[in-house]
Amino acid sequence: MKNKTEVLIIGGGIAGVSTLYHLTKLGWSDVMLTEKLELTSGSTWHAAGNLPHFSNSYNIMKLQQYSIDLYSRLQEETGQAVDHHPTGAVRLAHTQDRMDEFERVCAMSDLAGLNLEMVSVERLQALYPYLDTSGLLGGLWDPADGHIDPTSATNAMAAGAREGGATIVRNNPVEAIEQQPNGRWLVTTAKGVIDAGIIVNAAGFRANEVAAMIGHQLPITSMEHQFVVTDNIPELESRDQMLPMLRDPDVSYYLRQEGKGFILGPYEKGGIPWAVDGVPAAFGQELLQPALDRIEEIMCTAMEQVELIATAGIKTVVNGPITYTPDGHPLIGPVHGYSNYFVCSGFNFGIVQGGGAGKFMSEWIVNGHPELDLFELDPRRFGDYTDHDYCVAKATEVYANEYQLGFPNEYAMRPAKRGIKKTPAYSRHAEHNAVFGAYFGWERPSWFAPAGTPAVEEHSFRRGNWFEAVANECLHVQKHVGLLDLSPFTKFEIAGTGAHPWLESFSPNRIPTQTGGTALAHALTQEGGIAWELSITRLENGSYYMMAPAAAEDLIDDWLTQRLPSDGSVSLKNITPEYGTLVIAGPDARKVLSKLTTSDLSNAAFPWFTGQEIEVAGVPVRALRMNFVGELGWELHHPIEHQLALYDALMEAGQEYAIANFGLRAMDSMRLEKGYPIWAHDLITEFTILEANLGYFVKLDKGDFEGRDALVKQQEAGLTTKLVLLDIDTTDIDAANGMEPVYADGNVVGQCSSGGFGHRSQKSLALAYIHVDALASDLTVKILGNHYAATVTQGCVYDPKGALLKSDD
């Protein structure tokens, strides 16, 4: 057996083999895979092998699109049969909400270059003649959907990987893993020790066994999933062509032809977690005991919709474990706190995602990041709050909601394992009828329901029950003063003699050298894409206070730690849990704050976009004169143990000015009016900082920094795409769901990255990346099936000169 390799993949399911295959396609031949048993022995072999493009996530749609395209050419490339059946598929809609979801996904498919199509009830009947269409409003048709044999597809990629020089060792379980001082790994297996430069944990439902050898836990739980295989059905035996796939997300099942019979796969409420205390050592290509009573109700409904099912006997019941993460998306990327260690696991749609997962995993390894910004799949999107009980509870919840409508905010407001991380102000927000969502574990007020009404969001793709409440919050901040809790901000203190040059080495903006100086900066990829955003303030003691997006805490911790100088000249401390942040904003903000501090808050003494260390109500505060809503205001960063005292003092001092809370939805509305882009939506690695229209924060003459060479080349060549603010001509709907396509002359010329309604300006707005040669064209945005005229604004639509931010009143 080979005992040294640059990359060792642990696990021979479809994701691991795909990663091996794609590494060879990128020119890496010194790569190796070890499998405990035979290839596909885990969940891959018993998977149904369905191949949908459909997803409420554009990135997942693109990942699945790549997989399906790959599988369609694997047989020709490798000479290995893969049994791919592109039968097409219909999805059924019983409600208007479901029709809205389908319209949204169809529009995203335009961006992806797919051919998803909304269809009438009559067309559904023509596409699927055995369907009882009673109660249906319509549906969705994907002509390229279908299914494939998982084992054949995996073995074809294995053949391709071997052809590219890769090594595969079967029946070789891993027994121990240890990282060496030089960063390489010693992996002890049944057949010997392997010295690996990089390891990839692709061990599926055994991924946490591998993780435990390294010293951590992954947020993965296995769930039992059953599907029924029927006997042959005469009507299907007489057909020359296979029936399309059929999915009814409102009933929660899929149905596809298997040979001359059916596979029926329900996702029931009350799913059963499997092997939560550890997978049995001998478990391999076995199945679990069937329990048809759990899926009987869904099966009966399916038989009413497609009576052919009821005429067939049951040949087999397949009950096998599949993995789930707390949000239902796989883990693809680096593991927090480690170098040269990646994970590619946690797939509950592993076959349709396996091909794309291997491509993007290999790009992580070879290029440092994938071609798409895949933070929503990055393992570091979960923090240390995802303990064993959390993972089991959330996996069970996700399984029960497999076909849940993909409303904005819906996942964040699900009930399982809530209240994991709360700021002290949580209790005050609850008293004021806050509607909370959980983001990176933090309970955060999304909006505040009117007194006497339920603090519950009624989810919608349209303007929902939050709309008027959020309008009131925005207008209150505009006319009076509001208070917002942004304590989950990621926060670091950076000190040492090398702190300033180190920060300059990756910031495209100049790092302040004077006390109180504050800068907005962006960490870039080598290609100039935006990895994450930060603000940086120089403190009185010469150290720096950095703030960054809350959800990116672990990603940023890795990013900074891996770049620290080895000479000890820079110290880095994560103080996120130690400091809270309250934002006071509105025309009366200075009046309220002045009642609680002796510090001079005038423009002359405390200019816009600077910071000072002051006392507010006796609390030591790092006050920064900036905010994300475009009004006069300050961010008040304070020791978290003083938060309630500070909050209460601000609310009491603000009574005469009608101070009120506002939430994240209101902040989002107001930042759109200012044209402020937000990380992970508008600011991603796929677009450069110049394309994001943030050239003001790029100082190419300041010296070298990561990504500078790419920006210089792009500036010389000229931009082809640019982020702009769109004013959309609509009165009752907004581009608030993300990834709405932008058209000119019937062609897709851009994509909305975020959007919503600006209550102060009374405009429906969206930030969108658009081809520069289309900016002067007549534009439309497609929202839930309809095209709405859109105009590129000249600057922002609210206080374009920034007079309110810099007000001295």
Side-chain angles (χ1 to χ4, degrees), residues 322-540:
I322 54 176
T323 55
Y324 276 79
T325 66
D327 63 7
H329 290 333
L331 308 177
I332 305 173
V335 178
H336 175 240
Y338 295 90
S339 59
N340 303 325
Y341 173 34
F342 297 83
V343 63
C344 189
S345 198
F347 297 87
N348 51 310
F349 289 98
I351 307 309
V352 72
Q353 293 173 0
K359 168 183 164 62
F360 295 127
M361 183 73 269
S362 63
E363 290 173 353
W364 260 118
I365 294 168
V366 175
N367 302 327
H369 61 87
E371 65 179 66
L372 298 179
D373 190 319
L374 293 181
F375 181 74
E376 66 182 302
L377 308 183
D378 193 314
R380 296 168 297 185
R381 70 188 186 273
F382 298 114
D384 58 9
Y385 59 91
T386 56
D387 61 17
H388 177 271
D389 290 346
Y390 178 95
C391 293
V392 172
K394 295 302 285 186
T396 305
E397 183 180 61
V398 168
Y399 183 88
N401 288 278
E402 188 63 74
Y403 286 120
Q404 175 60 258
L405 288 151
F407 295 124
N409 271 356
E410 185 276 329
Y411 172 77
M413 295 181 178
R414 290 182 184 177
K417 301 302 287 187
R418 294 293 297 276
I420 299 294
K421 295 161 71 175
K422 300 176 183 178
T423 68
Y426 172 90
S427 59
R428 300 293 191 265
H429 294 144
E431 291 168 3
H432 285 90
N433 223 23
V435 180
F436 292 98
Y439 305 93
F440 199 63
W442 290 99
E443 293 291 337
R444 307 183 68 176
S446 181
W447 56 286
F448 290 83
T453 65
V456 176
E457 182 162 316
E458 297 170 5
H459 301 297
S460 176
F461 294 106
R462 300 169 184 266
R463 296 174 183 174
N465 68 325
W466 64 84
F467 188 80
E468 291 301 326
V470 171
N472 291 333
E473 291 174 32
C474 294
L475 297 178
H476 195 92
V477 172
Q478 180 190 27
K479 296 174 182 177
H480 303 288
V481 60
L483 197 60
L484 170 69
D485 185 2
L486 289 183
S487 297
F489 264 144
T490 294
K491 311 173 198 75
F492 283 89
E493 284 182 351
I494 301 162
T497 57
H500 182 266
W502 180 65
L503 291 167
E504 286 278 359
S505 72
F506 65 80
S507 169
N509 201 0
R510 289 188 175 87
I511 300 300
T513 57
Q514 300 297 315
T515 298
T518 299
L520 185 66
H522 303 81
L524 307 180
T525 67
Q526 290 298 333
E527 295 80 15
I530 299 174
W532 49 280
E533 185 178 41
L534 64 138
S535 67
I536 191 84
T537 300
R538 189 174 175 99
L539 302 176
E540 292 176 1

Side-chain angles (χ1 to χ4, degrees), residues 1 11 129-130 173 197 200 268 292 337 343 376 401 445 503 575 619 638 647 668 701 711 747:
M1 182 189 72
Y130 303 106
V200 180
E268 72 277 15
L292 286 176
V343 63
E376 66 182 302
N401 288 278
L503 291 167
I575 61 167
V619 175
H638 53 275
Y647 176 93
D668 196 55
D701 60 349
L711 297 181
N747 299 312

